[in-house]
Amino acid sequence: RDSPSEAPVFVAFNEANVGPKITPLADNLFGAVYHMLAKLIDDSNPFQRSKLAALQEKVKLHANRSIINGDAKNLSLDAKTPSMKLRDRQKVSTTFHGAGLVVPYDKKNDVGYREIPESNASLKKIFKNIVEADTEQAKIKGLDVLHELITNVQFANDEGDPGMGIELGLDAFAYGGESLHNSIRHLLTVGYELVNRDEFSAIISAHLDRRVKGPDVDMFKKYQ
């Protein structure tokens, strides 16, 4: 979701061991399962395909039944619903994860967001120089470049454009690396507070304290 006070806009898919890309599937869980099953069917062998297709059909029947019965919360199986299309028009940037960023933005007065003065390729190089630095001196040099951007963010925040800092924080978060954690925490906690999304500030702080690299993210495994 874009704001803790709003309903989620879509259910998405991500492969943590591949990268940060977020792929929207549908605007509800049943639609997401339906489209995930379609992907699994395409990639499965003939023996698995029939079972997956049968399960997909059950999901479809359940969703159609909700529409026939006039359920106020009817379950669309569309991959791109009107609410998702509306969000696409509201996005101010793409972000590294691909799902985009939506923040309060006054288009007429151009207030709420300004672009980061670096290309995505340049940003990734900046993050790489910090995360993969061979020496402490090299890391400090890389952080100096990032801190220049953070200074620009502070000016943007003061002038009513908190979207820039949120985007930079999300891009650093998507890139990953413990050396970026302090900058991520600062950018996102300040940015979210400026757009009244304080709950997201608490979430990102708690997550960074326990962030795990790779696909094995089960925090409860050790207690089993």
Side-chain angles (χ1 to χ4, degrees), residues 125-199:
K125 185 176 180 181
I126 291 170
F127 297 149
K128 182 179 180 180
N129 288 341
I130 297 167
V131 175
E132 300 182 17
D134 294 329
T135 64
E136 187 65 22
Q137 185 177 2
K139 184 171 76 171
I140 292 171
K141 185 178 179 180
L143 284 169
D144 285 343
V145 178
L146 178 58
H147 289 160
E148 287 182 21
L149 284 177
I150 293 175
T151 299
N152 289 336
V153 166
Q154 290 168 344
F155 287 133
N157 288 342
D158 291 341
E159 294 166 11
D161 296 328
M164 178 184 176
I166 295 175
E167 181 183 11
L168 182 59
L170 288 175
D171 285 347
F173 178 76
Y175 188 89
E178 192 172 347
S179 300
L180 297 172
H181 282 192
N182 287 339
S183 297
I184 295 168
R185 193 187 306 271
H186 169 72
L187 287 164
L188 292 182
T189 54
V190 172
Y192 284 140
E193 286 168 8
L194 289 173
V195 295
N196 298 315
R197 297 175 183 175
D198 295 35
E199 293 89 340

